[in-house]
Amino acid sequence: MALLVFFQVFVLAVAVPAVGQKADFLSIDCGLENSSGYQYNKIDYVSDGSYVDGGKSYSVATGYDPPSSTLRSFPSGERNCYTLPTAAGTKYLVRVVLFYGNYDGKNSSSMMLRFDLHLGVNRWTTVKNADNEAYEAVFIAWASWAPVCLVKTGDATPFVNVVELRPLTDALYPTVMANQSMGRHRRRNMAASGIYRYI
Ligand SMILES: *[C@@H]1O[C@H](CO)[C@@H](O)[C@H](O)[C@H]1NC(C)=O
Ligand SMILES: *[C@@H]1O[C@H](CO)[C@@H](O)[C@H](O)[C@H]1NC(C)=O
Ligand SMILES: *[C@@H]1O[C@H](CO)[C@@H](O)[C@H](O)[C@H]1NC(C)=O
């Protein structure tokens, strides 16, 4: 099936839209109890209740800005998936943010927080630093939904703080095809410091 190759992103300009977010952006604050959602940095965040089954809600132990301040962890099941709504044939960027923040009070080190992310049936990556790391992939949707899954590979309990989905225009990342997705290798901000995560 599809290959996951790696890409680098160089952000040349910081362009945060002055008005609200685009209608087809989906930003999920995992573990958020309030089903009304909220707006942060001009992005509308929703709770994850309608995108996932199971798991438990936690807040990170240290103070941290939303949307990373809550997370959902999955102590049971080998594979737990978020079902994201997609339009078949459309290209998407999906981003998963992990911020451990000692939510379970176990002081786990990064080495102890290893698990895998899957995009559909394909292994996307192994989480290497679950204490403040974002993972991104670009893919072409093959159906009206795409599962993003957290898969146990050892003793670590998978968890996730944020899942974001952004439709891309066809012209971006031409090497991404229906049979070939891409996982991000590295993202570098080449312009002034500031907010670039949300682009
Ligand atoms: C849920 O969020 C809404 C909108 O941000 C807020 O008005 C409301 O007070 C919140 N409810 C609770 C129980 O925190
Ligand atoms: C975690 O670290 C804190 C501070 O060092 C310590 O007080 C606590 O006992 C540790 N908890 C565990 C479960 O190791
Ligand atoms: C993917 O599809 C394209 C166009 O149909 C084809 O040229 C390419 O060889 C395929 N790549 C793989 C890895 O199957």
Side-chain angles (χ1 to χ4, degrees), residues 1-18:
M1 257 281 286
L3 278 180
L4 273 174
V5 296
F6 289 90
F7 68 100
Q8 300 197 39
V9 183
F10 295 103
V11 182
L12 292 169
V14 177
V16 177

Side-chain angles (χ1 to χ4, degrees), residues 102 104-107:
N102 198 24
D104 55 2
K106 291 181 179 167
N107 299 334

Side-chain angles (χ1 to χ4, degrees), residues 1 3 177 179-180:
M1 257 281 286
L3 278 180
M177 289 170 276
N179 60 3
Q180 181 167 285

